[in-house]
């Protein structure tokens, strides 16, 4: 039987003593955590391990002895170490030995037979696996990706063995709090034997973080309570808040800040990583917003932007007027219904006239509005982008009205034509049963249906052309808003802290391990070095991506084409009552 002994590289130069760790019987593995040095009292070592086991809930025990011969081999030390197996009974009993200044390692695993058995003690083969204790302690092992069926069983067994090693080291952190400078009865060698890593600034930040988090959490709770006031629930305010991207982004940021400054400790590493990703996302968002704010308020860019806004709106309105005059003529040589064409054209021209009057009425206040919008960048770049999206929606509200008028008129004619087409086939739509049933019509009904069908068919090209033009303009506006929302979602959901760990400290995000052979000679134990394989960048993003508030729909191409063909409205937001395709 081959036993696996995981030995920390930091203990390779430690003085002789006892091997302390955990035995994993399912994997036939021994995870060595530390070395207890001489001199020691066995009863004190047992009491210390019992305290560690009670605190960490890990079965820590004495696994064997460690002999590091500094001078010539000493027989007395060897016999003394062998005799410790009778005091600290553990099966199998490991005996690791290393010669000073040599790469020679010897390792034995002894199993003692029962008291009634006359056989001699048996020895198992041992494979020594060195691991970096600090990296294993700080890393988080992720489950392997989905593999084919023939490899799933082997991958699951290997993942369980690695998880046992990582879990043992992570839960035994209390064992690493004592170092060789302590005055206690037990002196240990581990990755922090030379002293616990500490920083005065970090300790002061930890000491001050509690009161600061409580203060900010109370302020955020007051803001949340004020936002749920009864005044803001009066109609139509809830409907307006739900449609504005700025309100959705502020609500999303408020939820994130409430979670970040919550005084409750994270229950697992995943929640810690989620909080860290949120904190970095908020800090980056505010930093980008302050950069934008300083750029806008430099060299009079606010005044330049305000002066250019009204002429741009006028040029857009003039372009729409030219487009409508083109449609009222013979667009692309098409034969249109002149009466309907003139009615629709003058109807839309009147709306443009109203819109231009409204823009010029608001022109004295444009600079002040732009100044306040630029000031909102201190809340973050995402808030400024959300406000920009809402401003685009307001400035193109006339295009949205044109699209709604054209879509409703086109949808009405499509529904009328489909109903009259069922009349010609002797069918009708059963509203109660939601199906098409057979029906007999008299001559008058067929005559009137034929007249209506003919009128709708000849009027359809004019309506369809207006609908097509304004639908393309509406899709252009939605595409611009979609790009803005895509950038906002990228800042909100990208796990920047996890990506920074993957770049600077890749061992913190472990996808698995790989082994490098250090020594493989006959008569000597096989020695391997365990190295951590980091997660790929794509899997880091997939695993730690933050939730997205998503204020715009995600249509498939099929559903989008179907809605465009039948004249159904395409909203830039997701309605809760609508069924998602």
């Amino acid at each position: 039987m081959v036993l696996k002994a995981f030995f920390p590289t930091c203990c390779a130069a430690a003085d002789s003593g006892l091997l302390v760790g955990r035995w994993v019987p399912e994997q036939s593995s021994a995870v060595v955590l530390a070395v207890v040095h001489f001199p020691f009292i066995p009863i004190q070592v047992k009491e210390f391990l019992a305290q560690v086991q009670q605190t960490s809930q890990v079965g820590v025990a004495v696994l064997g002895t460690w002999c590091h011969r500094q001078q010539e081999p000493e027989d007395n030390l060897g016999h003394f170490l062998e005799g410790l197996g009778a005091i600290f009974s553990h099966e199998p009993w490991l005996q690791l030995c290393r010669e000073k200044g040599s790469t020679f390692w010897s390792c034995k695993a002894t199993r003692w037979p029962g008291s009634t058995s006359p056989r001699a003690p048996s020895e198992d083969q041992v494979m020594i696996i060195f691991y970096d204790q600090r990296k294993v302690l700080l890393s988080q092992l992720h489950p392997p990706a989905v593999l084919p069926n023939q490899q799933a069983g082997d991958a699951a067994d290997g993942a369980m063995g690695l998880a046992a090693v990582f879990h043992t080291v992570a839960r035994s952190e209390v064992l690493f709090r004592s170092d060789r400078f302590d005055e206690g009865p037990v002196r240990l060698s581990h990755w922090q034997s030379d002293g616990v890593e500490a920083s005065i600034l970090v300790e002061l930040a930890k000491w001050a973080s509690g009161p600061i988090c409580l203060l900010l959490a109370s302020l955020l709770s007051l803001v949340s309570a004020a936002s749920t006031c009864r005044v803001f629930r009066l109609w139509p305010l809830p409907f307006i808040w739900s449609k504005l991207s700025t309100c959705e982004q502020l609500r999303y940021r408020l939820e994130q800040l409430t979670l970040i400054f919550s005084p409750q400790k994270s229950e697992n590493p995943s929640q810690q990583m989620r909080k860290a990703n949120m904190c970095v996302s908020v800090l980056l968002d505010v930093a980008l917003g302050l950069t934008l704010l300083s750029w806008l308020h430099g060299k009079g860019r606010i005044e330049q932007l305000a002066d250019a806004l009204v002429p741009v709106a006028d040029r857009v309105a003039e372009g729409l007027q030219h487009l409508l005059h083109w449609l009222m003529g013979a667009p692309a040589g098409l034969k249109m219904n002149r009466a309907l064409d003139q009615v629709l054209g003058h109807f839309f021209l009147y709306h443009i006239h109203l819109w231009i009057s409204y823009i010029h009425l608001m022109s004295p206040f444009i600079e002040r509005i732009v100044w306040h919008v630029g000031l909102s960048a201190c809340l973050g770049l995402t808030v400024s982008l959300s406000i920009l999206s809402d401003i685009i929606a307001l400035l193109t509200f006339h295009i949205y009205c044109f699209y709604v008028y054209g879509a409703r008129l086109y949808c009405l004619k499509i529904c009328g034509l489909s109903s009259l087409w069922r009349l010609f086939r002797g069918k009708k739509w059963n509203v109660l049963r939601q199906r098409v049933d057979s029906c007999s019509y008299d001559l008058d009904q067929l005559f009137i249906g034929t007249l209506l069908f003919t009128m709708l068919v000849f009027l359809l090209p004019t309506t369809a052309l207006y609908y097509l033009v304004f639908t393309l303009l509406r899709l252009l506006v939605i595409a611009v808003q979609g790009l803005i929302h895509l950038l906002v979602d990228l800042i909100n959901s990208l796990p920047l802290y996890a990506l920074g760990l993957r770049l600077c400290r890749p061992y913190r995000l472990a996808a698995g391990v790989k082994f490098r052979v250090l020594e493989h000679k006959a008569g000597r134990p096989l020695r391997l070095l365990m190295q951590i394989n980091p997660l790929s960048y794509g899997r880091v993003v997939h695993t730690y991506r933050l939730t997205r508030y998503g204020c715009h729909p995600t249509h498939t191409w099929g559903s989008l084409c179907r809605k465009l063909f039948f004249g159904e409205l395409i909203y830039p937001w997701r309605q809760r009552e609508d069924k998602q395709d």
Side-chain angles (χ1 to χ4, degrees):
M1 184 178 181
V2 178
L3 304 181
K4 297 184 288 292
F6 290 87
F7 191 82
T9 54
C10 56
C11 297
D15 296 334
S16 301
L18 297 176
L19 297 176
V20 176
R22 177 194 175 194
W23 171 253
V24 185
E26 297 84 2
Q27 306 295 330
S28 299
S29 303
V31 183
V32 179
L33 298 174
V35 175
V36 179
H37 298 300
F38 297 109
F40 58 82
I41 301 176
I43 188 64
Q44 293 179 344
V45 175
K46 291 183 179 180
E47 292 176 355
F48 174 75
L49 295 181
Q51 294 176 0
V52 173
Q53 183 174 356
Q54 183 179 3
T55 305
S56 63
Q57 301 298 321
V58 176
V60 181
V62 178
L63 303 177
T65 59
W66 160 252
C67 179
H68 187 195
R69 293 171 177 154
Q70 303 291 340
Q71 289 89 20
E72 294 296 327
E74 301 178 6
D75 295 335
N76 295 333
L77 179 61
H79 292 303
F80 175 73
L81 293 177
E82 291 178 1
L84 291 175
I87 302 176
F88 303 97
S89 58
H90 185 273
E91 186 176 344
W93 182 257
L94 297 178
Q95 297 179 12
L96 271 68
C97 184
R98 179 192 178 190
E99 298 290 344
K100 180 183 179 182
S102 174
T103 60
F104 178 76
W105 286 66
S106 64
C107 184
K108 294 189 299 182
T110 306
R111 294 182 181 270
W112 303 96
S115 58
T116 59
S117 176
R119 295 181 301 170
S122 60
E123 294 185 0
D124 297 327
Q125 295 182 358
V126 180
M127 179 172 55
I128 305 176
I129 303 176
F130 296 94
Y131 70 97
D132 192 324
Q133 198 171 56
R134 178 177 179 273
K135 291 183 178 181
V136 173
L137 175 65
L138 298 177
S139 64
Q140 180 181 355
L141 183 64
H142 297 74
V146 179
L147 296 174
N149 295 331
Q150 61 269 19
Q151 301 178 2
D154 298 337
D157 295 339
M160 289 179 58
L162 291 176
V165 176
F166 280 74
H167 174 76
T168 300
V169 178
R171 295 293 298 273
S172 303
E173 189 175 0
V174 64
L175 185 66
F176 306 139
R177 294 176 183 173
S178 60
D179 51 53
R180 62 188 181 91
F181 300 103
D182 292 339
E183 297 179 357
V186 179
R187 295 187 305 113
L188 302 174
S189 280
H190 45 74
W191 75 279
Q192 287 195 141
S193 299
D194 294 332
V196 179
E197 295 180 356
S199 172
I200 297 178
L201 296 178
V202 173
E203 295 300 325
L204 290 176
K206 290 181 180 179
W207 180 78
S209 60
I212 293 176
C213 288
L214 287 175
L215 178 61
L216 293 177
S218 60
L219 293 177
L220 291 174
S221 63
L222 290 177
V223 173
S224 300
S227 63
T228 57
C229 183
R230 184 176 298 178
V231 177
F232 297 104
R233 296 182 180 179
L234 297 177
W235 193 88
L237 292 180
F239 176 79
I240 296 176
W241 303 149
S242 63
K243 299 301 180 285
L244 292 178
S245 302
T246 306
C247 296
E248 293 291 332
Q249 177 62 24
L250 290 176
R251 187 183 300 114
Y252 180 76
R253 277 289 181 241
L254 183 60
E255 294 176 357
Q256 283 190 331
L257 292 175
T258 303
L259 181 60
I260 290 173
F261 296 109
S262 174
Q264 298 179 355
K265 295 185 65 175
S266 302
E267 298 178 356
N268 49 53
S270 299
Q271 292 186 359
Q272 294 179 358
M273 188 69 70
R274 184 165 178 261
K275 276 190 175 183
N277 286 325
M278 285 184 180
C279 184
V280 174
S281 177
V282 171
L283 291 177
L284 178 65
D285 186 20
V286 173
L288 293 176
L290 293 177
T291 304
L292 176 63
L293 182 63
S294 63
W295 182 81
L296 287 176
H297 286 270
K299 298 182 180 180
R301 292 188 177 91
I302 292 289
E303 293 78 8
Q304 298 176 7
L305 185 61
D307 294 339
L309 195 59
V310 175
V312 169
D314 289 338
R315 283 196 294 269
V316 172
E318 292 176 1
L320 288 176
Q321 287 178 342
H322 291 308
L323 178 63
L324 287 174
H325 286 299
W326 178 70
L327 291 175
M328 292 171 64
L334 297 177
K335 181 66 175 178
M336 311 293 291
N337 186 281
R338 184 167 182 79
L340 180 61
D341 194 9
Q342 293 296 320
V343 170
L344 292 178
H346 286 92
F347 176 75
F348 291 133
L349 285 174
Y350 179 69
H351 277 72
I352 294 178
H353 174 70
L354 291 179
W355 179 252
I356 294 176
S357 302
Y358 170 73
I359 290 295
H360 285 281
L361 183 65
M362 293 292 296
S363 58
F365 309 99
I366 292 295
E367 183 176 351
R368 182 60 56 182
I369 294 174
V370 174
W371 187 86
H372 283 91
V373 170
L375 190 62
S376 67
C378 62
L379 299 177
L381 180 63
T382 55
V383 176
S384 300
L385 291 176
S386 300
I387 294 177
L388 177 62
S389 176
D390 293 334
I391 291 177
I392 292 176
L394 292 175
L395 292 179
T396 59
F397 185 71
H398 54 305
I399 296 179
Y400 175 72
C401 293
F402 296 163
Y403 164 70
V404 172
Y405 298 151
R408 291 304 186 190
L409 189 59
Y410 174 78
C411 182
L412 179 63
K413 291 190 176 182
I414 290 295
C415 292
L417 289 174
S418 62
S419 180
L420 294 174
W421 177 250
R422 286 193 294 267
L423 182 141
F424 291 152
R425 296 182 298 145
K427 305 286 185 180
K428 73 170 185 178
W429 175 255
N430 192 331
V431 181
L432 297 178
R433 297 185 177 182
Q434 294 293 310
R435 68 182 186 184
V436 177
D437 294 335
S438 300
C439 181
S440 58
Y441 298 95
D442 55 18
L443 186 61
D444 294 337
Q445 291 175 331
L446 292 175
F447 178 72
I448 296 176
T450 303
L451 291 179
L452 292 176
F453 185 82
T454 305
M455 293 169 57
L456 292 179
V457 166
F458 284 105
L459 293 178
L460 182 62
T462 304
T463 307
L465 183 61
Y466 276 87
Y467 169 70
L468 177 62
V469 171
F470 292 126
T471 299
L472 293 177
L473 293 176
R474 180 60 185 164
L475 289 178
L476 179 61
V477 174
I478 291 179
V480 174
Q481 289 182 300
L483 292 177
I484 295 175
H485 285 295
L486 185 63
L487 182 57
V488 171
D489 286 343
L490 184 64
I491 299 176
N492 286 334
S493 62
L494 199 63
L496 299 174
Y497 179 76
L499 290 174
L501 281 183
R502 174 60 181 85
L503 180 63
C504 301
R505 296 183 178 181
Y507 61 86
R508 292 289 299 272
L509 305 175
V513 298
K514 59 183 177 181
F515 298 95
R516 183 166 62 89
V517 178
L518 297 179
E519 184 182 24
H520 188 197
K521 295 182 180 180
R524 294 188 182 183
L526 175 62
R527 292 193 296 143
L528 303 176
L529 177 62
M530 186 178 74
Q531 298 175 337
I532 296 178
N533 281 332
L535 282 177
S536 61
Y537 285 98
R539 194 174 172 196
V540 169
V541 174
H542 177 74
T543 304
Y544 294 105
R545 186 164 192 151
L546 299 174
T547 55
R548 305 161 67 182
Y549 69 92
C551 61
H552 54 283
T554 54
H555 293 295
T556 61
W557 287 106
S559 64
L560 180 62
C561 294
R562 181 182 60 82
K563 289 186 176 183
L564 291 176
F565 180 77
F566 289 102
E568 299 180 18
L569 295 181
I570 301 174
Y571 295 98
W573 52 77
R574 180 184 292 118
Q575 290 185 332
R576 296 179 181 178
E577 296 82 8
D578 290 347
K579 186 183 297 182
Q580 298 297 319
D581 295 317

